Amino acid sequence: MNQLQLFLPCAAGVEELLSAEVKRITGTQGKAWRAGVQVAGSWRDAMQLNLHSRLSQRVLIELQHNQYRSEQDLYNAAAAVAWEIWFTPKQTFKIEITAQHSPLTSLNFAALKIKDAIADRFRDKYDVRPDVDTRWPDVRVYVHLTVDTVTLYIDTSGEPLFKRGWREDKGDAPLKETLAAAMLAASGWSGEEGLCKQGVPLYDPCCGSGTIVIEAAQIARNIAAGMGRRFAFEKFVPFQPHVWEGLLDQAEAAITEPTAPIFGSDVSFRMVDFAERNAERAGVASAIQLRGGDALQRMPPAPSGVMLVNPPYGERIDVAGVAGIPSVQGRDQRRTAQFQGQGIDEFGQPVPQDDRADSEDGPRRDRSANPGREQAQTASGEEASDFFPQLASHWKKNYAGWTAHVLTPDMKLPQKMRLKESRRVPMWNGPIECRLFRFDMVAGSAREKKPAANS
């Protein structure tokens, strides 16, 4: 268990940030792939990464990597894995399969062959087969196919790692905790030498149910991301409760008082209430100052600092924060977009429409619609074309000395805000390609006014 190959999937654009995080947690330099990081590690490292990683979606252990040409080759590859050292026939399992340019005609049949290989191995050894549970399995086996290779993984995480265990109250289209952590890392606020350690304030003027500020507060208090949840590896054969308890004790002993002040506000007092309850469950209620108020009117909570903003897009939500009624069209577009070609699979690759297996619960939804790029809308359904210029004017007038980071799928946002970005970081929010724009705020206009033409 000391020579494992670990793979940590992440949102596309976050690979280098995750690689740095993996090295900080394990002391080993990983290799960044598209939407994931591979690293050699131990069973203890796998547990540590589950407990402490804020950027990865899962921690997978690679068990087999082989060439294949047919479904029988997949069966043979799975049958050669010593599954009995990981789980018992009394536990349930599920196969998750993705592919990139696989020549096989049916991924459902490929998944069935791998399932049979695992069950047959247990039957041959113990005269009993483990059951399949497609909803709440004890063990998830991930399979990734390329043109000619098959890779088998066992998932040590269970529920995706963005599910920290504290978010019970949420609004429409909430930001995943892993993406919020990526925004904090990309902004330079978090990390080993981040601005957080220097006491630089952080502020989210459209905080919603509090994802960004709660992630920031846990970082400021050095609270491990997975302190409030359970993991799949706790049901595995190699699991030793006393070792895990020791890791939890170390993590708890490392918690400190906050190293930087954190502020959040939202025009919806209902969202502020949600954020307060979530912060209480996350153990950081005392580390965040939450207020109600319109982003176009709130004054800076400190002389200078870092702002992180994830303005709503593709929802009928007032851009200043008032939750409206999601449009039926926007909801259907989001569902369709999950299965478009620009979706990213668990192994960091774009999944073409014909390269996804139907789920074991039934066929996937129709994927013929093309949602296009969605834009922020007002509660009445009109595009909020005036909001961003007004927000930029408010920032220029009142937030000199602050650095603002805005996550958006709108590549023309700097033009709309009449600001020149100093940096843009590609980042994917699920299937939506976004940019994290950085704006260094100075008083007055960011552009020189052209002289008036002579009459």
Side-chain angles (χ1 to χ4, degrees), residues 171-174 266-268 271 311-327 334 375-382 384:
D172 295 307
D266 199 281
V267 73
S268 169
M271 288 294 104
Y313 41 87
E315 290 276 353
R316 294 210 174 189
I317 302 174
D318 186 294
V319 288
V322 177
I325 300 174
S327 67
R334 287 192 306 280
Q375 297 180 358
Q377 296 175 321
T378 63
S380 63
E382 298 177 354

Side-chain angles (χ1 to χ4, degrees), residues 59 117 147 301 362 386 404 432 440 445:
V59 179
V147 175
D386 293 337
I432 304 173
D440 299 315
S445 174

